[in-house]
Amino acid sequence: MKKTTQALLVPCLKPVLLFGLLPCFVAILSGCVQDSSASLAASLKDRWQLQDSGIHWQVEDVHRDQLEFSGEQVSAIIDYGTRADGSLLLSRKLVWPMLRTIPNDTHASLSHSFDLSPTLLINDAPVGPERLESVSFDGILTLESELQAGQGQLQVSGLKLIRTLAPATTAPLLVERHELRNEGKQAVRVKVNALNEQFDTPADAGVYGSYRILAHSDFDGERLLGPGDSLSYFLSFEAHTVAEVDGTAEAESTDTLETNQSPAEALAARRQYLASLNDKLVLETPDPVLDRMFAFAKLRAAESIFRTRGGLMHGPGGGRYYAAIWANDQAEYVNPLFPFLGDANGNSSAMNSFRHFARFMNPEYRPIPSSIIAEGQDIWNGAGDRGDCAMIAYGASRYALASGDEAEARQLLPLIQWCLEYNRRQLTPEGIVASDSDELEGRFPSGDANLSTNVLAYGGLMAAGHLYDSLGLNGDALRAEAARLRSAIDKAFAAKVEGYDTYRYYAGNDKLRAWIALPLVMGLDERQQGTLDALLSPKLWNENGIYTESGDDTFWDRATLYAFRGIFAAARTDTAMDYFRYYSRKRLLGEHVPYAVEAWPEGDQRQLSAESGLYARVITEGLFGIEPMGLKQFALAPRLPKDWPSMCLKHVQAFNDNLDICAERQGIKTKVKVSRGDAVLLQQDWDGGAPLLVSL
C-alpha cells in the first residue's frame, strides 16, 4: 500500500504505555509471572463494557475516537466523543469510492466531512451544548446526549437526543436517525428546523463530471412532547453524479447501483445485514471478549466491499484505499477467510480480485502489479515486485481449497500456475526467491531476497499441491519443490539475531523483525523455540503488539496477528492465548475500538478492513487449526486453552458446506466433534498431537 504520513486519526490515539503497569509488564515478558493470562489482560483498564450484541461506553471523562463502517457505495469515518467542557464532538467523513476524482489514482474517491445538524429550539429557546452521556456500537453507532435550554426556573431538563448512525448497505448514503425523548416531568415544545444543504463539485474535477453532495432531514416543524413522548426523524448524508440527480445519467450508472433507498429502508437493511453475518461462522467460547471481537472482525472484513464498475472490490478503507485491490490485503489476508464466512459479496469480491490480477499474466513473466486501482482501470506498482506472486499463489490456492467449488478452482488454476512459475524465475543461485521489496514497500529494509516472500512462496507451493490433488492432478512435484525451498530458506535465513536462534529477514539484517513469525504459520519449525522467544521478548513484544523491528516503536497489527497464528500453530496454546486475550481486550474495550488496526505512527491506527480478516483467521486457522487440504478435506487441530472446558465454531461455510466444529475437554484428551446439522461427520478423542483429517 502506498506510503502516506497523513494522520487520519485524532492525536489521542497515539499509543501510551501505562507506566504504572510497567513492572508487571516486564515481569510477564521475562517469565517471572507464571499465570500471565489473568495478569496480562488485567493490566488493562477498560473504557468500554460488553453489552447485548455490542459494546457500551458510559461517558465520564473527556475522550474521542474514530470508527469506520461501510456499505457497497459509501464508507463513513465517524469522529465522536467529548470536548473539554463535556459537550458532544461529532464529525462524519464520508467517502464515495465510485465517484472518482481527478487524477484518478489510488486515493481518488470523492470525500467530504459533515459537522452540521438540524437547529433545535426548546420552548423557543436555543439548545445549549449537547452533553454526551453514552455511546454504544453493535454494527450501528448510537450516541445518547442530554439537551439543555433556558435558564433558572425556565430551564428545561430531561430531554434526550439519541442519534443512530449507519451506512446504507447498497446506497451512497449515511443514515442518522434522531429520536428526541422527553424523560422530564413537564411537557416541552420542540421546534426542528430542517437540514437542507447541498453543493456541486466542479465538473472538471470529477471523472464522471460534477457530483452533488447533500445533507438533508425529513422533518421540519414543531411538536409538543409530554413526559414520556418522543419524536423521530432522519438525516441523510449522500452524494451522486449531478447527471443522476437531474435524470440524465446513462443506464450504466444505475443498472448495478442502488440509489433510491430511503433512510428508514437503509437502516433496516443494515440491521438485516448484521443479522445475516451473526448467523454464520459463530464463535462460542467461555471468553465473551473473544467472541465479540471475532463477531466484529467478521463484520469489518465483510462490509468493506464496494460495487465498482470493475465488479465487487474489497477495499482496505481508512479514508484512502477504496475501489482498488492489493496482492497482500485482498489476495493474501482476507480472501482466504471469505469461504469460511460464506458471505456472497465476500466470495464474489475474492474471485473478482483474482480475475483482475489474472489480466496481467504475460508470456514474458513481467511482475503482476501490486495494486489494481480506480475500479480496475489503472495500476499502482510503486514498490516494484513486493513478492506479489508469492502472496497471490498462496492466497488463491487457500481460497480455492476452502471454497470447495471445483469450477472456481479450475478458473483460478492458471493464475496460480503462472505465479508459481514467476517465483521459479526469481530463484537466486542459493535457491531462494528474490523480490524488490515486501508488503511494507521499503518502509523498512528488505534486501534483495526477504523471508516474507520466500515463506509465502513455500506456503503457495504446499497449498497448490493440495489443490492439484483435488483436481486429479499430481501435487507431488510441487511438494518436492516446496521441500527444496524450505531447505534453502533455512540455509539463507537461519541466524542468531540479537542473541536469538531465529531468522534474519534478509542478508545482512542484524535486527529482529516481526515477520520471523511467518515460518511458524507455515509449519516451518526448524527455529521454533528461538523464534518464539524472540517474538515475545521485550525487543519485539510491547503494549501494542509486535514491533516491526527491534529498536523502533512502529507497529503493524498485521504482523502481530500473524504472530498469534504462528504461536498457535506451534502448539503453544496457552502462551498464545495469554497475549491474544490481552490484544483482543485492548482493541475491543480500550481507547480505540472495536477493530484491529493498520499501523502506528503511519495512519495513526486506521481501522483497515483486511486486518480484521487476519484477526478472524487467528481463530479459524490458529485456535481451531483448520487447514484446507482439499476441496472437501481439511486438517483440524482445535487446541483448547487450559482454562476452557469447551469451544465451538458453528456454521462454518467453508468447503461449500455448513459445519459445526466443537472441542470438549475429556481428561487429558479432547473430544472433537464435526457435524452438519444433526449428522455427525466425525467424533473422536484427540491427544493433541498430529492434526485430525476430516473428509466431507
Side-chain angles (χ1 to χ4, degrees):
M1 198 169 291
K2 189 174 182 180
K3 185 174 181 179
T4 173
T5 57
Q6 177 181 354
L8 176 67
L9 297 186
V10 291
C12 67
L13 299 185
K14 181 177 179 179
V16 176
L17 178 61
L18 304 177
F19 289 101
L21 301 171
L22 185 57
C24 174
F25 222 95
V26 173
I28 293 166
L29 293 172
S30 64
C32 297
V33 177
Q34 295 300 312
D35 182 9
S36 64
S37 173
S39 302
L40 189 54
S43 69
L44 295 169
K45 182 178 180 181
D46 298 337
R47 175 172 293 279
W48 295 72
Q49 303 297 321
L50 295 175
Q51 181 188 57
D52 299 328
S53 59
I55 56 174
H56 178 82
W57 168 37
Q58 193 65 38
V59 177
E60 296 177 347
D61 60 354
V62 177
H63 176 64
R64 68 188 291 187
D65 198 2
Q66 280 192 349
L67 168 79
E68 182 166 9
F69 44 13
S70 309
E72 290 183 7
Q73 291 196 71
V74 68
S75 197
I77 300 172
I78 310 300
D79 187 1
Y80 66 92
T82 51
R83 296 186 176 90
D85 62 359
S87 61
L88 171 70
L89 180 154
L90 177 62
S91 180
R92 318 155 189 88
K93 177 178 180 178
L94 268 63
V95 181
W96 295 277
M98 281 68 74
L99 299 181
R100 309 300 298 168
T101 58
I102 295 173
N104 192 7
D105 58 16
T106 300
H107 312 298
S109 299
L110 179 68
S111 66
H112 185 73
S113 293
F114 299 90
D115 300 325
L116 65 173
S117 291
T119 302
L120 299 177
L121 296 175
I122 302 173
N123 293 343
D124 296 322
V127 174
E130 185 178 335
R131 301 187 68 83
L132 183 64
E133 293 186 330
S134 67
V135 183
S136 61
F137 182 73
D138 61 358
I140 292 172
L141 182 64
T142 302
L143 309 170
E144 183 169 339
S145 302
E146 182 180 23
L147 302 181
Q148 296 283 352
Q151 294 180 350
Q153 293 182 345
L154 297 178
Q155 185 171 0
V156 174
S157 62
L159 188 62
K160 307 289 186 181
L161 174 55
I162 297 94
R163 301 171 182 263
T164 303
L165 295 88
T169 54
T170 57
L173 66 92
L174 172 73
V175 175
E176 185 171 325
R177 180 180 183 268
H178 284 196
E179 181 185 359
L180 286 166
R181 184 186 301 164
N182 185 2
E183 297 182 356
K185 298 180 180 179
Q186 297 179 341
V188 297
R189 187 171 65 256
V190 175
K191 178 175 175 55
V192 182
N193 292 325
L195 178 64
N196 189 15
E197 301 283 341
Q198 71 176 50
F199 69 92
D200 294 348
T201 63
D204 59 1
V207 173
Y208 306 109
S210 181
Y211 304 132
R212 183 160 296 164
I213 298 174
L214 308 100
H216 53 95
S217 58
D218 63 0
F219 179 78
D220 180 15
E222 293 188 17
R223 287 287 174 83
L224 184 68
L225 299 183
D229 289 346
S230 63
L231 166 66
S232 298
Y233 53 91
F234 283 97
L235 280 58
S236 298
F237 304 91
E238 55 191 298
H240 309 267
T241 65
V242 168
E244 177 188 327
V245 177
D246 293 344
T248 59
E250 296 180 4
E252 181 272 337
S253 298
T254 56
D255 278 350
T256 59
L257 300 179
E258 170 66 54
T259 58
N260 297 314
Q261 196 173 37
S262 74
E265 291 170 338
L267 185 57
R270 174 71 175 183
R271 295 189 191 280
Q272 185 178 11
Y273 174 67
L274 297 174
S276 72
L277 292 181
N278 287 335
D279 289 339
K280 301 171 184 173
L281 195 63
V282 181
L283 179 65
E284 295 180 358
T285 76
D287 191 326
V289 171
L290 294 189
D291 293 352
R292 186 66 44 77
M293 182 73 177
F294 181 77
F296 280 155
K298 292 188 304 178
L299 168 61
R300 184 72 192 119
E303 69 177 359
S304 192
I305 296 172
F306 304 97
R307 194 169 291 277
T308 78
R309 293 166 181 82
L312 288 171
M313 300 179 80
H314 183 276
R320 294 179 63 79
Y321 305 110
Y322 304 92
I325 55 172
W326 281 261
N328 52 333
D329 290 69
Q330 282 66 51
E332 178 193 342
Y333 299 167
V334 77
N335 285 357
L337 171 70
F338 283 135
F340 287 82
L341 182 56
D343 176 67
N345 276 6
N347 288 333
S348 294
S349 74
M351 285 298 294
N352 190 46
S353 72
F354 292 129
R355 291 188 194 102
H356 276 294
F357 284 122
R359 291 165 42 203
F360 293 90
M361 295 188 299
N362 59 87
E364 297 81 18
Y365 286 90
R366 297 185 304 272
I368 284 182
S370 302
S371 176
I372 299 169
I373 66 170
E375 302 184 279
Q377 298 302 307
D378 204 348
I379 66 168
W380 178 83
N381 207 26
D385 173 19
R386 309 175 310 156
D388 299 290
C389 271
M391 301 172 191
I392 294 169
Y394 167 75
S397 297
R398 291 294 288 252
Y399 173 85
L401 289 166
S403 76
D405 187 314
E406 183 176 342
E408 284 193 346
R410 292 194 181 278
Q411 288 180 48
L412 293 174
L413 190 59
L415 174 63
I416 294 167
Q417 292 172 325
W418 192 94
C419 285
L420 294 178
E421 177 59 25
Y422 176 89
N423 290 339
R424 291 185 192 105
R425 294 176 181 228
Q426 308 310 309
L427 289 177
T428 69
E430 295 76 27
I432 58 174
V433 182
S435 60
D436 297 325
S437 61
D438 62 2
E439 52 85 38
L440 285 181
E441 300 166 355
R443 292 169 176 87
F444 286 79
S446 58
D448 296 325
N450 64 76
L451 183 66
S452 175
T453 294
N454 279 272
V455 174
L456 287 170
Y458 170 83
L461 285 166
M462 292 298 293
H466 299 320
L467 186 62
Y468 267 43
D469 293 340
S470 288
L471 296 177
L473 306 171
N474 188 345
D476 289 344
L478 294 182
R479 283 184 284 273
E481 186 179 349
R484 292 193 295 273
L485 181 57
R486 178 173 183 161
S487 177
I489 288 171
D490 197 61
K491 291 178 181 176
F493 297 106
K496 181 158 285 192
V497 183
E498 298 193 73
Y500 294 93
D501 184 15
T502 181
Y503 300 93
R504 60 181 182 178
Y505 193 58
Y506 58 91
N509 167 230
D510 59 0
K511 294 182 179 180
L512 291 171
R513 292 286 289 270
W515 286 120
I516 60 174
L518 270 171
L520 299 179
V521 174
M522 301 298 176
L524 306 183
D525 56 4
E526 289 86 346
R527 303 286 176 267
Q528 183 183 103
Q529 188 58 56
T531 301
L532 288 168
D533 291 343
L535 287 170
L536 298 179
S537 73
K539 291 182 179 294
L540 285 181
W541 175 264
N542 68 95
E543 69 275 11
N544 287 292
I546 302 290
Y547 286 132
T548 299
E549 180 179 86
S550 65
D552 191 292
D553 61 0
T554 299
F555 68 85
W556 291 67
D557 267 19
R558 59 190 64 175
T560 298
L561 294 165
Y562 260 110
F564 290 141
R565 271 173 62 196
I567 301 169
F568 276 119
R572 305 299 176 91
T573 305
D574 295 316
T575 298
M577 186 55 68
D578 290 348
Y579 290 88
F580 188 53
R581 281 171 172 160
Y582 167 87
Y583 169 90
S584 300
R585 182 168 164 182
K586 184 181 183 71
R587 291 286 182 265
L588 180 68
L589 302 176
E591 298 301 297
H592 182 35
V593 302
Y595 301 123
V597 302
E598 181 199 25
W600 186 88
E602 179 175 324
D604 211 359
Q605 302 187 71
R606 290 176 289 218
Q607 294 170 332
L608 298 196
S609 176
E611 277 76 358
S612 284
L614 288 177
Y615 182 94
R617 291 177 67 187
V618 174
I619 298 295
T620 56
E621 301 173 30
L623 181 61
F624 280 81
I626 301 172
E627 180 180 357
M629 304 294 285
L631 296 175
K632 298 293 180 183
Q633 191 176 66
F634 62 95
L636 178 62
R639 303 188 185 277
L640 272 172
K642 61 186 176 185
D643 53 348
W644 287 6
S646 63
M647 63 182 186
C648 286
L649 197 57
K650 294 188 173 180
H651 303 299
V652 179
Q653 306 295 299
F655 313 105
N656 199 24
D657 217 314
N658 186 350
L659 307 173
D660 293 343
I661 301 173
C662 293
E664 181 180 352
R665 193 172 305 284
Q666 298 282 346
I668 62 173
K669 293 188 176 183
T670 301
K671 180 180 180 181
V672 179
K673 181 179 178 181
V674 180
S675 55
R676 180 192 300 122
D678 294 331
V680 177
L681 306 180
L682 178 144
Q683 186 164 292
Q684 184 173 335
D685 288 341
W686 181 52
D687 63 5
L692 301 172
L693 188 64
V694 182
S695 297
L696 304 174

